[in-house]
Amino acid sequence: MTPRLNFESLGRAGIVHGASALALEPLVLQTLLDHIPMRATAVGRDERYRYANRAFLDAMGLRAEQVIGRHVAEVLGEAMYQAYLPVAERLFGGESLRWEGWMDYRGRGARYDEQTLLPYATDGRAVDAIITFGRDVTELKQREAELAAKVAELEATEALKSAIVDHALAALVSADADGRVVEFNPAAEQMFGVSRVQALGRPVGELIVPARHRARHDAGMARMKAGAAPHIMGRRVEMEALRADGSEFPVEMVLWRTEVGGVAHYTASMYDLSERRAQAEEIARQRDALRQSEKMTAMGSLLAGVAHELNNPMAIVMGRAALLESKCSDPALRADATRIREAAERCGRIVRTFLGMARQKERHVEPVQVNDMVRGAVDLLQYNLRTSGVDLTLQLAEGLPAVTADPDQLGQVLLNLLVNAQQALAAQPAPRRVAIHTGALRAGDGTAAGVWLRVADNGPGVPAALRDRIFDPFFTTKPEGMGTGLGLGVSRSLVREAGGDLVLEATGATGGASFRCWLPLSADGAAVAVARAPVAIETTPVRARVLVVDDEPELAALMQEMLEAADLEVAIAESGAVALALVDEARFDAVVSDLRMPELDGPGLWRALRERHPALAARMVFVTGDTLSPSAREFLQATGCACLEKPFAPADLLARVQAALASAIG
């Protein structure tokens, strides 16, 4: 192994003129050199050892006779000798050298040596020997290397820890036993709005603990400093923290204790819970809204069932009242019958509104009279408004053209607006007022472009800061339990789907809220007149035979009387099976059948007639109080049969039957 030597020249000042010293004290010098801990040798110009002390012999594992007089190559090995030659040339030239490095003597393993090499000459003569002093510092160098490695490892670990701390998403705040900040990472800077320079040395309680919690915090720090067990050490706890701007926010904190040089330090890892709590609150609101929606769906189904059960008796009341009205010659009795009929018609509108609200069907666009829709909604909510002390005013423009919309969806929008107005007025002192206005929306040339509707109240109105948010889903200004935050958002979506818009107007003279809805005209744009007088029953010029099929005898008898008043011949069947038997035995020009009946229902009767009497199946009129079922709607759409919803007026029934009879004549 060729030694790796680092030579340092000492110049010529190191030349030893020691011949006289050796001559004067040879035994003293011999003893001294043999007992020093350093290796000492002398090599002559002939490259043979003249002297080697005990330390050198022990290090080489040789005896004196194996060294003294022996050649350098023989003692040190060929590799070391080759490294020695250029050094010897410099030394015999009178230059002193110092070097250190790793070398391997005679294959005994690598050792780290420090050596001083001096030329030796008698006075006035040339250098004739080289004196070498050396020592083995391998263990020292190994310890230095180990220490350097540990320092490097420690520096790397500290660098890694610093990188982790500096890039941690959690805010890390360390304090000493006195509660003063000693570390404040970038996440903490961002979370609390305080720079690290500003935070270091400050009491942590003053820096990030809200004022109302500082006394408890200081007491906890004093308790831990006194050696008491901390209450929250190592546990995840949620608490309020303080930002530099004075605002408070929720955090989740884990606290742990470390000792540095026997001194206790406390580090808190904190996460901002503001977003998580906001998300949890939003999920809770949506969950409540979903529960409310499910409750409303269940309530809608219940209302639909109740409304359906009311349809049959309501149809009987309405029909009998209309017949009684047409038969009365006494004006006073006729007036009483008229009032009964009008009340029954109002009940019928309420029932139809219930059904319209509860229907789960595809959007069906048709011409709609806004004023009729308003009157129906008012009939439905009139009792609630009156008992809440709300005065309702209607200012409906007459002769408005029809708009294009789904009547059920448009009714839902108006009901939402009226219910919102009623709830907004609940805490207001009297008088409490709600006004509904309608009018035509004019185009540039003065023609009608649409119809508008306004619902205004004299309640507290909508604060300016919230006006842009009231149509957002799940946003509500109502107290807990009084709203889902869906009504206005859904209402605007329904109106926009119809081609119009729903907006919150600027605060009016009443100081309350005013919502304005507008909708486009239907395709024909024609105004539809509203009939208010009793409808006279027309008679058909051709006496025809009609079969009425209904499992409720009273309703079947009523329809029979209505049709017979129009000079029609009518037979009654109390079930679908009886109807089939009658049709097989006698001639009938049209069939009026209930859609829902036990055993053989309306669709079953139609299918049987289509096989046996296909012409008669095409002249069927169905009456029903339930158009909610998708299967029923699909059946009516597929067959093209006429349908009449209960309750109905005599004229409506007669019109459907006459249309069926007309198709037979045609």
Side-chain angles (χ1 to χ4, degrees):
M1 171 181 176
T2 302
R4 298 188 297 275
L5 305 178
N6 299 319
F7 286 95
E8 178 184 356
S9 175
L10 299 178
R12 295 185 178 274
I15 295 178
V16 178
H17 303 275
S20 60
L22 288 173
L24 292 174
E25 300 288 346
L27 294 177
V28 173
L29 289 176
Q30 179 74 29
T31 302
L32 175 65
L33 292 175
D34 278 346
H35 290 83
I36 63 174
M38 300 181 64
R39 299 189 306 273
T41 59
V43 177
R45 186 175 285 275
D46 60 357
E47 299 180 349
R48 295 181 179 273
Y49 281 95
R50 295 184 182 181
Y51 173 78
N53 72 347
R54 186 175 302 277
F56 179 82
L57 295 175
D58 291 343
M60 298 298 295
L62 300 173
R63 297 186 304 276
E65 58 269 22
Q66 292 176 308
V67 175
I68 303 302
R70 302 284 183 175
H71 195 273
V72 171
E74 184 181 355
V75 174
L76 298 183
E78 187 64 29
M80 288 294 298
Y81 173 67
Q82 294 299 323
Y84 165 80
L85 289 176
V87 177
E89 183 177 352
R90 293 171 61 183
L91 289 166
F92 282 112
E95 185 178 357
S96 298
L97 298 175
R98 180 179 293 156
W99 63 266
E100 63 179 275
W102 291 94
M103 60 177 53
D104 185 358
Y105 290 101
R106 300 172 59 87
R108 296 175 63 86
R111 308 294 294 176
Y112 197 93
D113 261 13
E114 290 182 349
Q115 294 189 11
T116 301
L117 298 93
L118 303 172
Y120 175 78
T122 56
D123 292 338
R125 297 183 180 181
V127 175
D128 62 354
I130 299 172
I131 298 176
T132 303
F133 294 96
R135 63 172 182 163
D136 187 341
V137 292
T138 303
E139 286 75 13
L140 177 62
K141 284 297 180 180
Q142 288 175 340
R143 287 196 295 271
E144 288 179 354
E146 290 173 359
L147 180 60
K150 290 181 179 179
V151 170
E153 182 181 357
L154 180 61
E155 290 176 349
T157 301
E158 289 299 320
L160 178 60
K161 289 181 179 178
S162 297
I164 294 173
V165 170
D166 290 346
H167 295 87
L169 296 178
L172 299 177
V173 180
S174 296
D176 58 20
D178 295 324
R180 295 188 176 275
V181 176
V182 296
E183 185 55 66
F184 205 77
N185 76 334
E189 292 180 310
Q190 183 176 5
M191 181 180 293
F192 294 102
V194 179
S195 69
R196 184 174 184 274
V197 174
Q198 294 171 323
L200 293 180
R202 291 180 60 183
V204 69
E206 172 189 310
L207 186 66
I208 64 174
V209 178
R212 67 180 187 279
H213 297 317
R214 285 176 191 164
R216 186 170 61 181
H217 167 79
D218 294 341
M221 292 296 298
R223 188 174 60 254
M224 288 190 293
K225 188 175 182 180
H231 295 161
I232 61 174
M233 191 71 69
R235 292 165 43 205
R236 290 180 180 270
V237 294
E238 293 186 9
M239 58 180 60
E240 299 298 316
L242 181 70
R243 289 193 178 93
D245 60 5
S247 62
E248 296 184 10
F249 64 103
V251 297
E252 181 184 65
M253 183 189 77
V254 178
L255 181 69
W256 67 89
R257 181 180 185 272
T258 54
E259 286 196 6
V260 180
V263 179
H265 289 76
Y266 301 93
T267 301
S269 172
M270 289 171 282
Y271 292 90
D272 189 343
L273 297 180
S274 301
E275 184 176 352
R276 188 189 304 177
R277 284 195 180 177
Q279 291 174 348
E281 291 171 358
E282 180 65 20
I283 290 173
R285 282 195 296 270
Q286 293 184 10
R287 186 183 296 113
D288 291 341
L290 180 59
R291 274 198 296 264
Q292 185 71 8
S293 176
E294 291 174 349
K295 186 189 301 182
M296 293 298 292
T297 300
M299 183 62 68
S301 299
L302 175 62
L303 291 176
V306 172
H308 178 259
E309 291 301 319
L310 287 175
N311 273 330
N312 284 345
M314 192 59 60
I316 295 171
V317 172
M318 185 184 298
R320 290 295 180 187
L323 290 176
L324 181 61
E325 185 180 6
S326 65
K327 294 177 181 179
C328 287
S329 57
D330 186 338
L333 292 177
R334 186 182 298 110
D336 289 340
T338 300
R339 283 193 288 271
I340 294 173
R341 176 182 58 78
E342 290 176 346
E345 288 177 349
R346 179 183 169 193
C347 291
R349 288 195 297 272
I350 293 174
V351 169
R352 282 192 294 272
T353 303
F354 274 147
L355 289 174
M357 291 174 60
R359 281 193 178 107
Q360 297 178 358
K361 61 175 185 177
E362 295 182 358
R363 183 169 177 266
H364 179 65
V365 176
E366 61 184 45
V368 177
Q369 275 295 316
V370 172
N371 287 352
D372 289 345
M373 182 268 298
V374 170
R375 293 187 183 98
V378 169
D379 285 339
L380 181 62
L381 294 179
Q382 192 172 58
Y383 175 79
N384 286 343
L385 294 172
R386 185 171 64 252
T387 55
S388 299
V390 177
D391 296 328
L392 181 64
T393 303
L394 299 182
Q395 297 182 14
L396 309 181
E398 295 298 332
L400 291 178
V403 298
T404 302
D406 184 309
D408 295 336
Q409 292 181 354
L410 189 56
Q412 181 183 348
V413 171
L414 181 56
L415 287 172
N416 283 340
L417 296 178
L418 287 174
V419 170
N420 284 349
Q422 177 189 346
Q423 293 177 345
L425 293 170
Q428 293 295 108
R432 304 183 185 97
R433 298 191 180 94
V434 175
I436 304 177
H437 305 259
T438 61
L441 188 66
R442 301 296 176 183
D445 58 359
T447 60
V451 172
W452 58 264
L453 178 148
R454 176 183 292 113
V455 177
D457 62 65
N458 66 334
V462 180
L466 304 180
R467 293 178 67 86
D468 294 335
R469 299 187 59 195
I470 58 172
F471 291 103
D472 292 346
F474 301 108
F475 177 79
T476 179
T477 60
K478 300 173 186 177
E480 185 175 356
M482 289 192 64
T484 64
L486 292 171
L488 286 175
V490 171
S491 296
R492 171 178 272 186
S493 297
L494 293 177
V495 174
R496 286 181 172 176
E497 190 176 359
D501 203 358
L502 175 64
V503 298
L504 172 65
E505 296 184 310
T507 303
T510 61
S514 178
F515 290 89
R516 187 172 186 269
C517 166
W518 73 269
L519 292 159
L521 298 182
S522 61
D524 54 13
V528 180
V530 180
R532 294 296 178 193
V535 179
I537 300 177
E538 300 179 1
T539 60
T540 178
V542 178
R543 186 172 179 82
R545 301 187 69 188
V546 179
L547 177 61
V548 174
V549 187
D550 201 302
D551 61 321
E552 187 157 343
E554 183 64 25
L555 186 56
L558 173 62
M559 289 190 285
Q560 180 183 27
E561 190 171 345
M562 288 178 176
L563 296 174
E564 286 178 345
D567 199 25
L568 294 172
E569 185 178 347
V570 181
I572 294 177
E574 64 273 15
S575 69
V578 174
L580 279 179
L582 291 176
V583 168
D584 289 339
E585 295 178 0
R587 176 188 63 83
F588 292 97
D589 301 302
V591 177
V592 178
S593 174
D594 194 0
L595 194 63
R596 291 177 55 182
M597 295 182 295
E599 298 179 1
L600 187 61
D601 59 3
L605 177 60
W606 178 84
R607 285 188 285 269
L609 289 178
R610 184 180 59 176
E611 294 180 0
R612 303 183 190 182
H613 309 281
L616 187 58
R619 299 194 296 275
M620 289 189 71
V621 176
F622 289 100
V623 292
T624 181
D626 177 22
T627 57
L628 301 175
S629 170
S631 60
R633 292 184 59 81
E634 291 173 3
F635 167 75
L636 293 173
Q637 291 175 354
T639 61
C641 293
C643 182
L644 186 63
E645 289 190 55
K646 303 174 186 177
F648 49 81
D652 296 329
L653 175 62
L654 183 58
R656 298 294 195 282
V657 173
Q658 286 178 332
L661 293 173
S663 66
I665 296 173

